[in-house]
Amino acid sequence: MASPPTSLVFKVRRYEPELISPAKPVPRELKLLSDIDDQEGLRFHIPVIQFYRYNPSMKGKDPAKIVKEALAKALVFYYPLAGRLREGPARKLMVDCNGEGILFVEGDADVSIEEFGEALHPPFPCLEELIFDVPGSSAVLNSPLILVQVTRLRCGGFILALRLNHTMADAQGLVQFMSAVGEMARGATVPSLQPVWGRHVLFARDPPHVTRTHREYDEVPDSKGTIIPLDDMAHRSFFFGSAEISAIRRFVPPHLRNCSTFEILTACLWRLRTIALRPDPEEEMRIICIINSRGKSNSFVPKGYYGNAFAFPVAVATAKELKENPLGFAVEKVREVKAGVDGEYMKSVADLMVVKGRPHFTVVRSYLVSDVTRAGFGELDIGWGMPAYGGPAKGGVGAIPGVASFYIPLKNTKGEEGILVPLCLPAPAMERFVKQLDSMLKDQNTPSSSLIISAL
């Protein structure tokens, strides 16, 4: 696949930022977040980006004006998102539903969608121009909970980028809100799916009672300096289609051949990333899998709930075990933690948050993966049809950069459906990772050089 021109440089001519409040009066009240929402590991802003091509049927219509009006209408139903976070005793977060509004930025760029490359995917050039960090807007407390920027392009298309305070919603919750915005933009007066606040379903019990093992919150000293250094980082995106997944599956023993794409890809990345980083053989390496509890056994998350409803279960193995054992070893580890998340697990996490003071998940020697292939970002229609790209704006986001990767649905220039994985590693480790991946795929005539579809 041809690489996009990562040398693309442009500026966005921005209007003054403004606050968008709900279009009608909304209740003024304090609403508590759940004990899953307000953990330390979610106290950051996460960027999402949507590219929309020119649509002749919308000629003469201003996307910024339409999005702005649709946001105001949707906020009537999602009015807590127009409020501000406050922190109470024991670090408990709550929303002051004051209707103050979300932040909106409008701009123009003398660039076309085509200049971003044949297939749109992160990392995107000049991202800081497309999601402008309005001074004073990125604090977790007492700041707008969402920032939206609409950038009109020379080709007649536009980019809708946003930044969400992650304590308020997960990927599915954000898509639910943006779907309501899309419906309003297309003429609806009420969302087809009514939002449910309902954060009490993930409150800690009284008294709190931790019933599961949660190694994702282990206190691990970084005695050997193995948190990834942030200097000289390489950012690359890899495409895994059916041929690549089949090639990796060859390394899995017969009794695990029915494992899911998520399980095999996660195990593979965990193992190769570990080998590439060259840690001490006896050091424990961690793979954190974001697992959504919606639809799981004894889940009590109601339909329409837009809060965070996922856990960070972790698999742990030494670097030596991952390197010397076949891939099936890592697959079994991933399957085990994935299967353990149910309603009781979520309650146990909520209880642990209260008992331990809302800790951050362990980042030492950790790698986190989040599968957003089914979140629905690519289906958000705000009048211009489906986006040419919709989803996370970059990998490695969070309080600790470089730890996380997303699994993003992508159709490559050949029309093949697959998964895009943005990866962030120190440059020397990235080179070793590519060689390891190439070695796995060499017999299938699928060199990793063809998988690397962008690099910065």
Side-chain angles (χ1 to χ4, degrees), residues 41 43-47 360-361 394-404 406:
R43 297 186 184 205
F44 70 97
H45 295 258
I46 187 164
H360 198 292
F361 58 84
K394 60 180 180 178
V397 298
I400 311 295
V403 168
F406 294 102

Side-chain angles (χ1 to χ4, degrees), residues 292-303:
N292 199 304
S293 70
R294 292 176 176 88
K296 297 285 186 183
S297 63
N298 74 336
S299 175
F300 25 71
V301 177
K303 187 176 182 181

Side-chain angles (χ1 to χ4, degrees), residues 328-374:
F329 171 82
V331 171
E332 288 184 321
K333 289 275 187 182
V334 170
R335 293 189 99 180
E336 182 181 342
V337 297
K338 181 183 168 188
V341 175
D342 56 10
E344 178 57 31
Y345 192 98
M346 299 300 293
K347 279 291 189 182
S348 184
V349 172
D351 292 347
L352 182 143
M353 287 299 124
V354 171
V355 170
K356 291 199 171 183
R358 311 184 196 287
H360 198 292
F361 58 84
T362 303
V363 298
V364 179
R365 298 182 291 279
S366 294
Y367 177 46
L368 183 150
V369 294
S370 177
D371 183 357
V372 297
T373 56
R374 296 181 179 87

Side-chain angles (χ1 to χ4, degrees), residues 8 39 66 123 138 178 191 208 216 224 234 249-250 270 276 314 352 387 409 421 435:
L8 179 64
Q39 57 186 295
I66 288 175
S138 55
M178 290 306 296
E216 59 269 35
K224 298 182 181 179
R249 202 177 289 275
R250 293 179 302 130
W270 182 28
V314 65
L352 182 143
V421 183
K435 287 180 180 178

